[in-house]
Short mmCIF file of all heavy atoms in Angstrom, two decimals:
data_model
loop_
_atom_site.label_atom_id
_atom_site.label_comp_id
_atom_site.label_asym_id
_atom_site.label_seq_id
_atom_site.Cartn_x
_atom_site.Cartn_y
_atom_site.Cartn_z
N ASP A 48 1.80 8.84 -7.49
CA ASP A 48 2.63 9.12 -6.30
C ASP A 48 3.22 7.85 -5.67
O ASP A 48 3.25 7.73 -4.45
CB ASP A 48 1.81 9.90 -5.26
CG ASP A 48 1.20 11.16 -5.86
OD1 ASP A 48 1.91 12.15 -6.01
OD2 ASP A 48 -0.01 11.13 -6.22
N HIS A 50 6.31 7.11 -5.82
CA HIS A 50 7.59 7.57 -5.27
C HIS A 50 8.60 6.44 -5.13
O HIS A 50 9.42 6.44 -4.21
CB HIS A 50 7.38 8.27 -3.92
CG HIS A 50 6.79 9.65 -4.06
ND1 HIS A 50 7.54 10.78 -4.24
CD2 HIS A 50 5.50 10.06 -4.09
CE1 HIS A 50 6.75 11.83 -4.35
NE2 HIS A 50 5.50 11.42 -4.27
N GLY A 76 -0.13 8.76 -12.96
CA GLY A 76 -0.40 10.20 -12.81
C GLY A 76 0.71 11.01 -12.16
O GLY A 76 0.43 11.97 -11.45
N GLY A 77 1.95 10.65 -12.39
CA GLY A 77 3.07 11.46 -11.91
C GLY A 77 3.61 11.07 -10.55
O GLY A 77 2.94 10.41 -9.75
N ASP A 78 4.86 11.47 -10.29
CA ASP A 78 5.59 11.10 -9.07
C ASP A 78 5.63 9.57 -8.89
O ASP A 78 5.54 9.05 -7.77
CB ASP A 78 5.00 11.77 -7.82
CG ASP A 78 5.37 13.25 -7.73
OD1 ASP A 78 6.10 13.74 -8.62
OD2 ASP A 78 4.94 13.91 -6.78
N THR A 106 4.26 13.49 -16.15
CA THR A 106 5.25 13.82 -15.12
C THR A 106 4.59 14.39 -13.86
O THR A 106 3.54 15.01 -13.91
CB THR A 106 6.25 14.87 -15.64
OG1 THR A 106 5.52 15.94 -16.24
CG2 THR A 106 7.25 14.30 -16.61
N GLY A 107 5.28 14.19 -12.73
CA GLY A 107 4.95 14.86 -11.47
C GLY A 107 6.12 15.76 -11.08
O GLY A 107 7.18 15.73 -11.73
N ASN A 108 5.95 16.51 -10.02
CA ASN A 108 7.01 17.46 -9.62
C ASN A 108 8.29 16.76 -9.16
O ASN A 108 9.39 17.27 -9.38
CB ASN A 108 6.50 18.42 -8.54
CG ASN A 108 5.89 17.70 -7.36
OD1 ASN A 108 5.08 16.79 -7.53
ND2 ASN A 108 6.26 18.09 -6.16
N HIS A 109 8.16 15.60 -8.52
CA HIS A 109 9.37 14.94 -8.01
C HIS A 109 10.25 14.38 -9.12
O HIS A 109 11.44 14.16 -8.90
CB HIS A 109 9.00 13.83 -7.02
CG HIS A 109 8.65 14.37 -5.67
ND1 HIS A 109 9.53 14.40 -4.62
CD2 HIS A 109 7.52 14.95 -5.22
CE1 HIS A 109 8.96 14.97 -3.57
NE2 HIS A 109 7.72 15.31 -3.91
N GLU A 110 9.67 14.14 -10.27
CA GLU A 110 10.49 13.66 -11.38
C GLU A 110 11.29 14.79 -12.02
O GLU A 110 12.20 14.54 -12.80
CB GLU A 110 9.59 12.98 -12.43
CG GLU A 110 9.26 11.55 -12.06
CD GLU A 110 7.77 11.27 -11.99
OE1 GLU A 110 6.97 12.14 -12.37
OE2 GLU A 110 7.41 10.17 -11.53
N ARG A 112 12.81 17.30 -10.21
CA ARG A 112 13.57 18.02 -9.18
C ARG A 112 15.08 17.95 -9.34
O ARG A 112 15.81 18.71 -8.73
CB ARG A 112 13.22 17.47 -7.79
CG ARG A 112 11.94 18.07 -7.26
CD ARG A 112 11.80 17.82 -5.79
NE ARG A 112 10.61 18.49 -5.29
CZ ARG A 112 10.11 18.33 -4.09
NH1 ARG A 112 10.69 17.52 -3.24
NH2 ARG A 112 9.03 18.99 -3.72
N ASP A 154 3.75 18.23 -15.64
CA ASP A 154 3.63 19.01 -14.41
C ASP A 154 4.25 20.40 -14.66
O ASP A 154 5.23 20.51 -15.40
CB ASP A 154 4.39 18.29 -13.29
CG ASP A 154 4.13 18.96 -11.96
OD1 ASP A 154 3.04 18.76 -11.41
OD2 ASP A 154 5.01 19.71 -11.48
N HIS A 189 -0.96 15.79 -13.05
CA HIS A 189 -0.49 15.47 -11.69
C HIS A 189 -1.22 16.25 -10.61
O HIS A 189 -1.55 15.72 -9.56
CB HIS A 189 1.02 15.72 -11.61
CG HIS A 189 1.62 15.29 -10.31
ND1 HIS A 189 1.49 14.02 -9.81
CD2 HIS A 189 2.32 15.99 -9.37
CE1 HIS A 189 2.09 13.94 -8.64
NE2 HIS A 189 2.60 15.11 -8.34
N ARG A 190 -1.48 17.54 -10.87
CA ARG A 190 -1.94 18.42 -9.78
C ARG A 190 -3.44 18.71 -9.80
O ARG A 190 -3.97 19.16 -10.81
CB ARG A 190 -1.21 19.76 -9.88
CG ARG A 190 0.27 19.62 -9.77
CD ARG A 190 0.91 20.95 -9.62
NE ARG A 190 2.35 20.80 -9.74
CZ ARG A 190 3.22 21.55 -9.09
NH1 ARG A 190 2.80 22.52 -8.32
NH2 ARG A 190 4.51 21.35 -9.25
N GLY A 208 -3.30 13.29 -8.81
CA GLY A 208 -2.86 12.83 -7.48
C GLY A 208 -2.23 13.98 -6.73
O GLY A 208 -2.87 14.99 -6.46
N HIS A 209 -0.96 13.85 -6.38
CA HIS A 209 -0.10 14.91 -5.83
C HIS A 209 -0.39 15.27 -4.37
O HIS A 209 0.52 15.60 -3.62
CB HIS A 209 -0.20 16.17 -6.71
CG HIS A 209 0.73 17.29 -6.31
ND1 HIS A 209 2.08 17.10 -6.14
CD2 HIS A 209 0.49 18.61 -6.06
CE1 HIS A 209 2.64 18.28 -5.81
NE2 HIS A 209 1.70 19.19 -5.74
N ALA A 210 -1.66 15.24 -3.95
CA ALA A 210 -2.01 15.77 -2.62
C ALA A 210 -1.79 14.75 -1.50
O ALA A 210 -1.86 15.11 -0.32
CB ALA A 210 -3.46 16.24 -2.62
N HIS A 211 -1.54 13.49 -1.85
CA HIS A 211 -1.28 12.44 -0.85
C HIS A 211 -2.39 12.37 0.21
O HIS A 211 -2.13 12.08 1.38
CB HIS A 211 0.07 12.65 -0.15
CG HIS A 211 1.25 12.45 -1.06
ND1 HIS A 211 2.45 11.93 -0.62
CD2 HIS A 211 1.43 12.69 -2.37
CE1 HIS A 211 3.32 11.87 -1.63
NE2 HIS A 211 2.71 12.33 -2.70
N PRO A 227 0.74 19.61 -0.60
CA PRO A 227 1.64 20.52 -1.30
C PRO A 227 0.88 21.41 -2.28
O PRO A 227 -0.05 20.94 -2.95
CB PRO A 227 2.62 19.59 -2.04
CG PRO A 227 2.01 18.23 -1.98
CD PRO A 227 1.10 18.21 -0.81
N ASN A 228 1.25 22.67 -2.32
CA ASN A 228 0.63 23.68 -3.21
C ASN A 228 -0.81 24.03 -2.86
O ASN A 228 -1.43 24.83 -3.53
CB ASN A 228 0.72 23.27 -4.69
CG ASN A 228 2.14 22.99 -5.11
OD1 ASN A 228 2.54 21.82 -5.20
ND2 ASN A 228 2.92 24.02 -5.34
FE1 FE2 B 301 3.60 15.54 -6.48
#
Side-chain angles (χ1 to χ4, degrees):
D48 306 281
H50 285 272
D78 285 359
T106 48
N108 53 313
H109 281 262
E110 279 124 8
R112 278 195 176 171
D154 188 76
H189 185 56
R190 300 191 189 213
H209 185 52
H211 292 214
N228 304 100

